[in-house]
Amino acid sequence: MTAFDTGLLGGPCWLESGTGERIRLPAERWTEEPGAGDELLLGRCTGPTIDLGCGPGRLTAALTARGITALGVDHSAVAIRLTRARGAVALRRDVFRPLPGEGRWRHVLLADGNLGIGGDPVALLDRVHRLLSADGTALVELDPPGRGLKRSEVRIGTGSWFPWAWVGADALGELAARTGFRPEWTATSGQRWFAELRRR
């Protein structure tokens, strides 16, 4: 079992950057029921929603329980198994590869820092743009203002290195403009920052 799998199951999980920085990942939150911050995202999901980097599926399952068509996507077999065990639909897939319903999703979820997937938020939001319907929105979690846009090679535990990125709330406007989105709102809950981006 990998260190990431341990985190998916709620155990301690650390991200190490190429500079040697170690960041504790909020693995405990991944396995809990959705909290107040999550509700800022879930409450905006009014139609079919694809949850990219769904992890153990707390958001995908919550939407399913509310009668919203939802699909979880993750690269981890453990994540997919856990999401399905919660009664939700999930696929083990690279988010940059073909996915069901392209161009027809009402919402794309990028919670828990998943705006960093692939290490290139511009490329990721370009991908999101192609997944969404004409009136669709991306619901994203951000870092607090002041971080800007940061990229690094990272690894979890002693696993392989992979590219990742962090997007601070202060970098969102420029990022949205470069990818055909406009910010609808930003909000905070505790130490967490969120935003909704609508296709232009």
Side-chain angles (χ1 to χ4, degrees), residues 81-121:
R81 175 172 59 80
L82 292 171
T83 301
R84 291 173 177 170
R86 290 179 182 237
V89 177
L91 289 176
R92 187 182 185 191
R93 197 75 57 87
D94 180 337
V95 302
F96 293 99
R97 304 293 294 173
L99 292 169
E102 301 220 10
R104 299 194 300 274
W105 293 100
R106 179 73 61 81
H107 306 286
V108 173
L109 280 178
L110 287 163
D112 300 315
N114 283 338
L115 195 49
I117 289 173
D120 185 348

Side-chain angles (χ1 to χ4, degrees), residues 73-159:
V73 178
D74 206 285
H75 74 280
S76 164
V78 172
I80 298 308
R81 175 172 59 80
L82 292 171
T83 301
R84 291 173 177 170
R86 290 179 182 237
V89 177
L91 289 176
R92 187 182 185 191
R93 197 75 57 87
D94 180 337
V95 302
F96 293 99
R97 304 293 294 173
L99 292 169
E102 301 220 10
R104 299 194 300 274
W105 293 100
R106 179 73 61 81
H107 306 286
V108 173
L109 280 178
L110 287 163
D112 300 315
N114 283 338
L115 195 49
I117 289 173
D120 185 348
V122 171
L124 181 60
L125 284 179
D126 283 341
R127 177 72 180 111
V128 167
H129 205 282
R130 297 193 301 274
L131 288 170
L132 288 169
S133 62
D135 61 344
T137 71
L139 294 150
V140 303
E141 184 167 352
L142 305 160
D143 277 21
R147 183 180 280 271
L149 174 58
K150 176 184 174 184
R151 299 183 179 91
S152 178
E153 291 288 314
V154 299
R155 66 180 177 179
I156 297 174
T158 58

Side-chain angles (χ1 to χ4, degrees), residues 2 6 15 17 31 35 42 51 63 68-69 90 98-99 101 110 130 132 143-144 151 153 164 175 177 182 184 199:
T2 68
T6 299
L15 188 75
S17 77
T31 58
L42 295 172
D51 182 5
L63 290 171
I68 301 290
T69 298
L99 292 169
L110 287 163
R130 297 193 301 274
L132 288 169
D143 277 21
R151 299 183 179 91
E153 291 288 314
W164 197 257
L175 179 61
R182 57 179 173 82
E184 289 243 304
R199 285 183 52 161

Side-chain angles (χ1 to χ4, degrees), residues 7-44:
L8 291 171
L9 294 166
C13 189
W14 293 84
L15 188 75
E16 180 185 355
S17 77
T19 62
E21 181 183 10
R22 295 183 77 232
I23 303 163
R24 185 180 176 94
L25 297 174
E28 300 87 352
R29 185 173 74 226
W30 300 345
T31 58
E32 295 171 352
E33 292 302 306
D38 299 321
E39 289 296 336
L40 288 173
L41 305 180
L42 295 172
R44 298 291 297 185

